[in-house]
């Protein structure tokens, strides 16, 4: 594209190479192109030489050196020429930005910076460029099902410690579509707006937790889609209730006698797992606990029984089971279980939508994507800025299209 390498020099300090300089020159007789319209234009003058960081060669930091021309464009006046390896603003080549961005998916940003002798800032800017390009070029016309969720990050319980995420959960594509700070109605409204009215209009299924602000916004903005309560969230509400019963009972029993409390010791994980997955010694302990008639045992049983709900094929039978389960839970005298029962009852239509959407939605993707988000937020915890983490999330979970490697000027 009108440029040639003129000279490659390795610079060293007492025998140790510390950088490679590649000097670039305009191709003889070829006019530069205007950086605004990309049309060839006659030369005006030459700017001083600048350098751009290129992909390291043999592990040695490598730079392009070039003195950009200024041109006299018929339409745009005196302008700096178009430079194919850089956008002109950053002292890093596209090739290096792509290189750093790809490594930043595997390593933490700090490790990436250290491995390639550059700054954390350079890695951040590279990922940002990569992500912005990807967001600008991604296709959203096939989005039919979304999952909406809230995720806690960092330390503390302030409003800013929550993220609202919107995933695409279609079987043919699962990815992060949008992430925003906080978990309010305003946040979700902002997210839906960012996806655009056409994407929202095309939605057939929306999956979410029973978080009230979300339910209200979804009813108002995506009322045409079938709104399904996510199975994974209901399981986690049940688990939390069992855990509350266990903790309260442990405290009570410890106060009374050490021996009775033995039943509940180290039982947390067995109680939270699905019953069929508890085996071996853990199973024996669980059986002993169930025989004990402790409140925790009754709570656990209620949780286990609820799993039958998901196996129904007919909405009517599922509704019948839900009534049965809720009245049993209401008679259990276990306040946390009663609370879940009340919550399920008040969301019955949304719960039963799961059966209307059956076969079209699975409950796995939201949980799986949440787990991946946790890996990234933890890895980027050291960043502390929200913006950096947002970039990291789009970068690893957005399945964004990637800019072509832009090393095509010779
Ligand atoms: Zn021009």
């Amino acid at each position: 594209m009108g440029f040639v390498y003129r000279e490659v020099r390795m610079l060293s300090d007492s025998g140790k190479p510390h950088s490679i300089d590649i000097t670039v020159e305009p191709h003889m007789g070829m006019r530069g192109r205007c950086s605004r319209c990309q049309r060839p234009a006659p030369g005006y003058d030459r700017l001083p030489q600048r350098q751009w960081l290129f992909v390291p060669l043999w592990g040695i930091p490598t730079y392009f050196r070039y003195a950009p021309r200024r041109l006299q464009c018929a339409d745009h006046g005196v302008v700096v020429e178009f430079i194919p390896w850089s956008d002109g603003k950053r002292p890093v080549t596209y090739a290096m930005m792509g290189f750093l961005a790809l490594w930043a998916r595997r390593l933490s940003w700090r490790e990436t910076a250290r491995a390639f002798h550059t700054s954390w800032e350079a890695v951040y800017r590279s990922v940002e460029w990569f992500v912005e390009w990807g967001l600008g070029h991604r296709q959203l016309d096939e989005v039919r099902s979304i999952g909406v969720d809230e995720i806690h990050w960092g330390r503390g319980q302030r409003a800013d410690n929550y993220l609202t995420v919107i995933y695409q959960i279609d079987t043919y594509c699962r990815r992060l579509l949008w992430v925003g700070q906080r978990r309010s109605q305003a946040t979700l409204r902002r997210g839906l707006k960012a996806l655009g009215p056409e994407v929202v209009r095309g939605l057939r299924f929306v999956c979410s937790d029973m978080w009230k602000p979300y339910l209200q916004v979804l009813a108002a903005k995506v009322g045409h889609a079938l709104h399904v309560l996510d199975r994974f969230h209901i399981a986690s509400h049940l688990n939390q209730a069992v855990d509350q019963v266990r903790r309260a009972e442990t405290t009570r029993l410890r106060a009374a006698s050490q021996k009775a409390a033995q039943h509940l010791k180290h039982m947390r994980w067995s109680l939270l797992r699905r019953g069929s997955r508890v085996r071996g010694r853990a199973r024996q302990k669980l059986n002993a606990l169930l025989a004990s008639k402790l409140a925790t045992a009754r709570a656990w049983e209620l949780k286990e029984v609820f799993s039958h709900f998901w196996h129904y094929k007919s909405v009517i039978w599922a509704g019948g089971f839900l009534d049965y389960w809720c009245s049993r839970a209401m008679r259990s005298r276990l306040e946390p279980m009663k609370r879940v029962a009340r919550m399920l009852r008040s969301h019955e239509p949304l719960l039963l939508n799961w059966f209307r959407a059956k076969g079209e939605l699975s409950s796995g993707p939201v949980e799986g994507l949440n787990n991946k988000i946790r890996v990234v937020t933890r890895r980027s915890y050291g960043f502390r800025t929200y913006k950096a983490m947002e970039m990291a999330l789009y970068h690893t979970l957005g399945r964004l299209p990637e800019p072509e490697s832009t090393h095509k000027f010779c």
Side-chain angles (χ1 to χ4, degrees):
M1 270 251 296
F3 296 89
V4 288
Y5 299 117
R6 198 191 63 198
E7 187 188 20
V8 179
R9 261 193 317 167
M10 191 182 297
L11 307 176
S12 43
D13 245 357
S14 52
K16 249 184 95 186
H18 67 80
S19 72
I20 296 173
D21 278 9
I22 300 173
T23 310
V24 179
E25 274 297 318
H27 195 286
M28 282 284 272
M30 277 184 89
R31 281 177 163 189
R33 290 160 185 273
C34 166
S35 53
R36 293 178 62 190
C37 61
Q38 294 207 17
R39 282 201 305 254
Y44 179 80
D45 65 358
R46 205 90 193 249
L47 296 172
Q49 196 179 64
R50 282 180 57 190
Q51 63 172 29
W52 289 264
L53 188 62
F54 185 63
V55 178
L57 303 173
W58 308 286
I60 306 164
T62 300
Y63 297 90
F64 276 9
R65 290 188 183 284
Y66 181 64
R69 289 170 285 184
R70 283 203 302 175
L71 313 170
Q72 180 85 53
C73 174
D75 294 332
H76 300 109
V78 175
V79 287
V80 181
E81 69 175 315
F82 167 70
I83 292 169
W85 59 82
S86 156
D87 64 3
K89 279 175 271 172
R90 294 167 195 160
V92 183
T93 58
Y94 288 134
M96 182 56 167
M97 289 200 284
F99 180 85
L100 289 174
L102 289 174
W103 275 101
R105 275 207 191 123
R106 299 164 173 232
L107 307 175
S108 78
W109 293 5
R110 191 159 300 151
E111 284 169 310
T112 307
R114 201 176 301 140
F116 301 107
H117 311 287
T118 182
S119 64
W120 183 90
E121 186 71 16
V123 177
Y124 174 27
R125 295 292 163 211
S126 302
V127 172
E128 185 182 52
W129 166 75
F130 210 75
V131 165
E132 274 166 7
W133 194 94
L135 289 175
H137 289 80
R138 70 178 173 176
Q139 296 286 331
L140 294 177
D141 44 1
E142 301 261 286
V143 179
R144 296 287 167 267
S145 318
I146 58 168
V148 176
D149 209 355
E150 36 146 341
I151 291 192
H152 179 254
W153 76 288
R155 275 178 222 155
Q157 294 293 325
R158 285 174 308 134
D160 283 347
N161 282 122
Y162 287 89
L163 306 175
T164 294
V165 291
I166 303 178
Y167 302 122
Q168 180 177 6
I169 53 169
D170 288 302
T171 44
Y172 46 85
C173 183
R174 287 160 186 182
R175 58 178 165 168
L176 175 69
L177 290 179
W178 189 82
V179 54
Q181 213 162 1
R182 302 189 165 200
R183 51 170 178 174
S184 62
Q185 292 201 9
T187 319
L188 182 54
R189 258 192 246 114
R190 206 151 48 81
L192 293 172
K193 201 171 163 198
L195 294 183
E198 281 187 23
V199 173
V200 173
R201 231 177 288 134
L203 292 176
R204 293 186 53 220
F205 298 105
V206 181
C207 205
S208 81
D209 190 8
M210 289 172 272
W211 178 244
K212 209 169 185 183
Y214 291 168
L215 296 184
Q216 283 164 351
V217 173
L218 292 175
K221 299 273 173 192
V222 206
H224 58 279
L226 192 65
H227 185 178
V228 181
L229 290 184
D230 194 59
R231 178 176 166 176
F232 141 73
H233 282 112
I234 290 159
S236 81
H237 285 295
L238 281 164
N239 269 337
Q240 278 168 24
V242 172
D243 206 42
Q244 280 167 18
V245 174
R246 180 192 63 87
R247 264 183 287 152
E249 193 166 42
T250 307
T251 316
R252 215 163 50 232
L253 289 179
R254 275 216 192 105
S257 87
Q258 282 296 322
K259 194 159 170 287
Q262 280 300 314
H263 273 309
L264 290 175
K265 222 173 166 190
H266 306 305
M267 285 300 285
R268 180 154 191 261
W269 293 111
S270 304
L271 287 165
L272 298 187
R273 295 193 84 176
R274 212 182 292 166
S276 56
R277 300 235 176 113
V278 184
R279 305 222 169 87
R281 281 196 51 195
R283 184 78 226 182
Q284 288 171 14
K285 276 200 76 178
L286 184 60
N287 288 343
L289 170 65
L290 296 181
S292 69
K293 298 286 171 214
L294 288 173
T296 308
R298 287 188 293 122
W300 184 84
E301 242 189 308
L302 273 168
K303 177 199 84 158
E304 279 299 293
V305 169
F306 192 84
S307 66
H308 291 297
F309 177 70
W310 307 107
H311 297 303
Y312 283 97
K313 292 214 163 56
S314 116
V315 179
I316 296 171
W317 284 99
F321 176 86
L322 191 63
D323 280 346
Y324 155 77
W325 188 89
C326 289
S327 53
R328 233 186 100 175
M330 292 310 286
R331 276 183 278 115
S332 69
R333 284 166 298 156
L334 303 168
E335 192 42 46
M337 300 314 279
K338 282 161 81 175
R339 215 175 305 133
V340 175
R342 278 194 290 269
M343 185 166 64
L344 295 180
R345 250 185 196 160
S346 62
H347 296 93
E348 186 170 334
L350 295 186
L351 260 174
L352 293 176
N353 276 348
W354 197 77
F355 298 93
R356 299 192 176 96
K358 212 162 182 184
E360 309 237 24
L361 276 183
S362 64
S363 70
V366 171
E367 186 178 16
L369 287 160
N370 279 355
N371 290 339
K372 284 185 190 153
I373 283 204
R374 291 217 173 80
V375 172
V376 176
T377 52
R378 229 170 281 146
R379 185 168 61 185
S380 47
Y381 184 61
F383 298 171
R384 282 192 299 269
T385 79
Y386 167 74
K387 189 76 189 155
M389 192 184 61
E390 185 181 302
M391 288 297 142
L393 288 175
Y394 282 122
H395 190 45
T396 44
L397 296 169
R399 288 172 152 232
L400 297 174
E402 293 170 5
E404 289 171 53
S405 168
T406 25
H407 183 199
K408 289 186 299 194
F409 52 89
C410 27

